Amino acid sequence: MKNNFLQKFYYGDIPEEKGASGQYTTSHDTTQWPLWEVFIRSKNGLDHKHAGSLHAADAQMAIENARDVYTRRMEGVSIWVVESKYITASNPEEAGELYEPAMDKIYRHPTFYELPDEVNHM
Amino acid sequence: MPVQHLEQIFQQKIDNETKIEAKDWMPDAYRKTNLRQISQHAHSEVVGMLPEGNWISRAPSLKRKAILLAKIQDEAGHGLYLYSAAETLGQSRDEMINDLHSGKAKYSSIFNYPTLSWADIGAIGWLVDGAAIMNQVMLTRTSYGPYARAMVRICKEESFHQRQGFEILLVLSRGSAEQKSMCQDAINRWWWPSLMMFGPRDSESTNSDMSMKWKIKRKSNDELRQNFVDMIAEQIKVLGMKLPDDHLQWNESRNHYDFGNINWDEFWNVVKGNGPCNKQRLDARRKAHEEGRWVREAAIAYAEKKNSKLKREEAA
């Protein structure tokens, strides 16, 4: 149903049914290079931060590709790569239960404590 | 949870400017629209390398050649960022590339025009990348998180592209009579196709507009196109060249430039596959893909061999 609304074509959004570029079929590659997540440390003293992902046959190639793609303008001094399949992510649907216990413990925040103005450096 | 309820929560997030992330629930049409748009965007970056690649070996100096190579390398990177963003929506890159090569998936029609002179490389950087930037700056605020992040990275790199393009034309515009006419000729040929890049007029559709409601897009085609015309109409004065439009005129009451009619027959014709270079572009992509197959397979075979050797050593 909803698809009926999406008939307005924006820049970079070209209707698929309007195409006729000839017949071409190719066999898929038998194996795809696995997907890797890339983490970059932008300078010493900072954490590695997720930069994006890429495909590579092995870890060494993943590092080399990450250098080519994510550090062309001196964005990094250190790269981590990890195969995406090894990352376990929390489920956003369980976010309520997962983070709820932190909500009612406001005494964990320094602003919970009211101190006289004379107290400095605290 | 009933779907209506999920849709409500989803729309609430969008209204509150909370980004949608890959694992969040989203309506099927939202996923599909993003997937189509992001993959088309990725294909455009990749096919966009072809018209420029035409001039690598013929760039007028080593400096220009190095710059052009760096720019084209950026485009490949942009394609990769975008394929990665699209992959988070559940389609493999292999499938997307296959859809491009079979003609099922589209890319921006602008890349179906030929690059006939060196000045075209300047015009592409200034006009084509300039038009793309208008759209991409808007898309840094798109509601799908991975797409928005890819756009931020791309926009950072893209401004070099536009500046180098303008500089190419600037040098030509200050050169010999022949260089000046080359410059004007490239502008004449790229101007109208650049305006077509923004897509059909807003009035072409009366349908309620989910792309706006979902904040995938935040500006309409006509708005973006007008912003582009206003920008270029001023910049061209610096070049001392002319845009090929007799109707181009500052309109005091609108506070915008008026401009002439776009040839929409040409636009749809190129979209349908009948542009000057559609066949050539797809053939080049397919050829590269087929001829690279052995490299992809060899790399996998090498990785497997290394892995099994490692495992044997660990076992021993």
Side-chain angles (χ1 to χ4, degrees):
Chain A
M1 268 304 284
K2 275 284 155 51
N3 266 329
N4 296 337
F5 293 128
L6 296 173
Q7 287 177 6
K8 189 163 181 173
F9 297 104
Y10 283 104
Y11 169 73
D13 182 17
I14 302 157
E16 279 170 0
E17 69 274 13
K18 293 241 181 183
S21 311
Q23 293 302 309
Y24 174 82
T25 40
T26 173
S27 53
H28 281 242
D29 286 8
T30 41
T31 28
Q32 271 203 77
W33 290 355
L35 189 65
W36 301 74
E37 300 301 321
V38 178
F39 300 82
I40 308 256
R41 185 203 294 285
S42 59
K43 63 175 188 183
N44 276 11
L46 295 179
D47 293 321
H48 284 78
K49 198 177 151 203
H50 186 237
S53 46
L54 49 77
H55 288 272
D58 57 29
Q60 190 55 37
M61 188 197 269
I63 294 252
E64 282 160 12
N65 287 358
R67 178 209 51 199
D68 287 347
V69 190
Y70 292 108
T71 65
R72 283 201 302 281
R73 291 179 175 81
M74 296 178 292
E75 289 96 335
V77 294
S78 162
I79 300 173
W80 287 350
V81 292
V82 58
E83 249 192 274
S84 309
K85 66 178 179 194
Y86 294 122
I87 291 189
T88 309
S90 62
N91 184 347
E93 276 159 44
E94 288 161 9
E97 302 91 284
L98 199 58
Y99 305 114
E100 191 275 334
M103 294 282 274
D104 61 357
K105 295 185 176 64
I106 50 170
Y107 46 82
R108 282 185 167 147
H109 296 277
T111 47
F112 179 76
Y113 304 92
E114 272 187 43
L115 302 183
D117 290 345
E118 302 92 87
V119 184
N120 289 325
H121 306 297
M122 199 184 279
Chain B
M1 212 184 283
V3 171
Q4 293 97 313
H5 196 166
L6 288 169
E7 271 180 14
Q8 239 172 32
I9 297 174
F10 174 81
Q11 190 61 48
Q12 240 164 37
K13 275 198 209 165
I14 302 256
D15 294 343
N16 294 335
E17 300 292 337
T18 302
K19 296 279 185 236
I20 307 301
E21 295 294 344
K23 293 186 78 177
D24 294 345
W25 185 90
M26 62 186 88
D28 213 32
Y30 178 85
R31 182 183 299 275
K32 276 193 189 143
T33 304
N34 264 303
L35 193 55
R36 186 182 65 214
Q37 197 179 307
I38 302 170
S39 62
Q40 282 185 357
H41 199 157
H43 299 328
S44 301
E45 300 283 354
V46 169
V47 178
M49 291 191 279
L50 298 171
E52 298 188 304
N54 189 29
W55 283 90
I56 293 176
S57 60
R58 290 180 277 167
S61 67
L62 185 59
K63 176 185 126 187
R64 293 293 179 193
K65 187 178 191 157
I67 293 172
L68 186 57
L69 275 170
K71 178 183 191 292
I72 294 173
Q73 195 191 8
D74 276 357
E75 308 296 1
H78 296 176
L80 180 121
Y81 304 155
L82 286 159
Y83 281 127
S84 302
E87 279 182 301
T88 63
L89 291 163
Q91 198 178 26
S92 76
R93 187 171 73 181
D94 201 31
E95 281 175 280
M96 286 185 261
I97 288 176
N98 215 52
D99 284 350
L100 169 69
H101 293 171
S102 75
K104 183 182 169 223
K106 294 279 158 268
Y107 53 89
S108 184
S109 279
I110 192 82
F111 302 117
N112 291 318
Y113 290 86
T115 43
L116 303 178
S117 81
W118 169 251
D120 288 22
I121 300 304
I124 287 181
W126 177 42
L127 297 174
V128 176
D129 289 328
I133 289 170
M134 289 258 125
N135 185 55
Q136 290 174 161
V137 166
M138 169 191 74
L139 285 172
T140 59
R141 296 168 57 234
T142 192
S143 59
Y144 187 55
Y147 194 19
R149 291 193 287 276
M151 281 298 123
V152 170
R153 209 169 288 132
I154 287 175
C155 282
K156 270 189 206 155
E157 301 181 352
E158 200 77 61
S159 76
F160 135 60
H161 297 179
Q162 203 192 6
R163 289 173 72 102
Q164 66 87 34
F166 190 83
E167 199 221 2
I168 288 175
L169 295 183
L170 191 64
V171 169
L172 291 173
S173 76
R174 291 170 177 170
S176 66
E178 201 184 350
Q179 285 171 320
K180 281 179 189 160
S181 84
M182 223 167 98
C183 178
Q184 183 63 60
D185 171 63
I187 293 168
N188 291 349
R189 281 182 290 107
W190 288 95
W191 172 244
W192 291 107
S194 300
L195 289 191
M196 292 175 201
M197 283 175 71
F198 295 97
R201 271 171 304 203
D202 296 347
S203 56
E204 296 285 278
S205 168
T206 50
N207 298 297
S208 74
D209 191 351
M210 293 306 281
S211 258
M212 286 284 199
K213 192 175 170 222
W214 284 335
K215 296 187 183 167
I216 298 175
K217 295 277 178 169
R218 289 167 184 267
K219 284 183 179 176
S220 76
N221 290 354
D222 284 341
E223 269 178 87
L224 286 168
R225 182 160 29 233
Q226 182 70 61
N227 292 345
F228 179 69
V229 171
D230 292 347
M231 178 179 86
I232 298 297
E234 289 299 318
Q235 290 173 351
I236 196 159
K237 293 176 184 168
V238 181
L239 293 177
M241 296 283 145
K242 231 176 109 1
L243 291 173
D245 180 357
D246 295 333
H247 298 280
L248 188 80
Q249 200 175 22
W250 178 251
N251 184 328
E252 195 78 41
S253 64
R254 289 201 315 127
N255 229 352
H256 285 297
Y257 275 92
D258 289 337
F259 55 99
N261 286 325
I262 292 168
N263 181 351
W264 291 111
D265 289 341
E266 177 184 329
F267 172 76
W268 288 116
N269 236 327
V270 182
V271 169
K272 281 178 196 149
N274 304 319
C277 300
N278 293 56
K279 191 178 174 304
Q280 193 184 331
R281 299 290 183 243
L282 271 184
D283 285 348
R285 275 303 316 152
R286 291 164 182 166
K287 183 165 173 267
H289 191 70
E290 293 300 340
E291 290 180 357
R293 188 186 300 278
W294 72 270
V295 179
R296 297 191 295 276
E297 286 172 356
I300 279 285
Y302 176 69
E304 275 166 4
K305 194 173 147 194
K306 244 187 357 186
N307 263 341
S308 60
K309 196 176 156 198
L310 211 67
K311 272 187 196 137
R312 268 203 314 275
E313 280 170 7
E314 273 167 16

